[in-house]
Amino acid sequence: MSKIDHLGIAVRSIAEALKFFRDTLGLPLKGEEIVPDQRVRVAMLPLGDARIELLEATDEQSPIARFIARRGEGLHHVCIAVEDIEATLDRLKAAGVRLVDEVPRCGAGGHKIAFLHPSSTHGVLIELVEEHSSSSD
Ligand code: ZN
């Protein structure tokens, strides 16, 4: 566990949310991409060593669409950077932590990511990302 990588915020519309996060709050918009695996469009706004990620559903089956339908817009997950994601998942699994992803998958930027189930994390959806696992930056 080395640092907070990003905070994921579920929004109905990135275009609408940028009016606050970029235009009013003043965060720079570093890029947008679609992550088909998670059915989301992602906008990245760096903030110190970390970044805010705005998440907009690309269809009704998206976890983000279901989240917003249940709870409205808001903080969706906290992402923690780790050095070795497989080793971290093995350790957490051995400790009895419920994993959403037993095997890492491909997230924004081509990074290896995995989610821990909120039932094991005191209600916070935690994403792990392996540092330096991207081939694209
Ligand atoms: Zn994330």
Side-chain angles (χ1 to χ4, degrees):
M1 310 283 140
S2 60
K3 62 166 189 168
I4 299 279
D5 186 83
H6 64 268
L7 302 177
I9 298 177
V11 300
R12 288 192 177 85
S13 158
I14 283 176
E16 279 299 313
L18 284 175
K19 291 179 188 169
F20 171 70
F21 287 98
R22 181 190 56 196
D23 302 342
T24 306
L25 209 51
L27 301 179
L29 174 62
K30 191 76 179 293
E32 283 188 56
E33 73 177 278
I34 289 177
V35 183
D37 190 46
Q38 292 169 73
R39 300 168 186 257
V40 289
R41 176 189 304 275
V42 181
M44 293 158 223
L45 299 99
L47 179 55
D49 284 343
R51 61 187 189 280
I52 301 280
E53 283 194 355
L54 303 177
L55 305 163
E56 176 189 315
T58 54
D59 66 49
E60 289 301 306
Q61 306 309 312
S62 168
I64 294 301
R66 297 201 304 267
F67 177 89
I68 288 177
R70 250 189 351 259
R71 299 166 63 168
E73 293 184 308
L75 184 64
H76 179 260
H77 65 270
V78 174
C79 181
I80 299 171
V82 299
E83 279 183 14
D84 182 337
I85 196 166
E86 277 92 356
T88 303
L89 289 173
D90 285 349
R91 182 167 66 76
L92 294 175
K93 191 177 178 184
V97 174
R98 189 171 158 200
L99 307 177
V100 175
D101 302 298
E102 305 245 333
V103 176
R105 53 193 162 112
C106 190
H111 295 274
K112 283 201 265 182
I113 63 151
F115 284 93
L116 312 181
H117 198 280
S119 64
S120 287
T121 61
H122 300 263
V124 181
L125 180 60
I126 293 180
E127 176 184 5
L128 302 177
V129 63
E130 186 168 280
E131 289 180 293
H132 317 304
S133 65
S134 170
S135 51
S136 63
D137 65 24

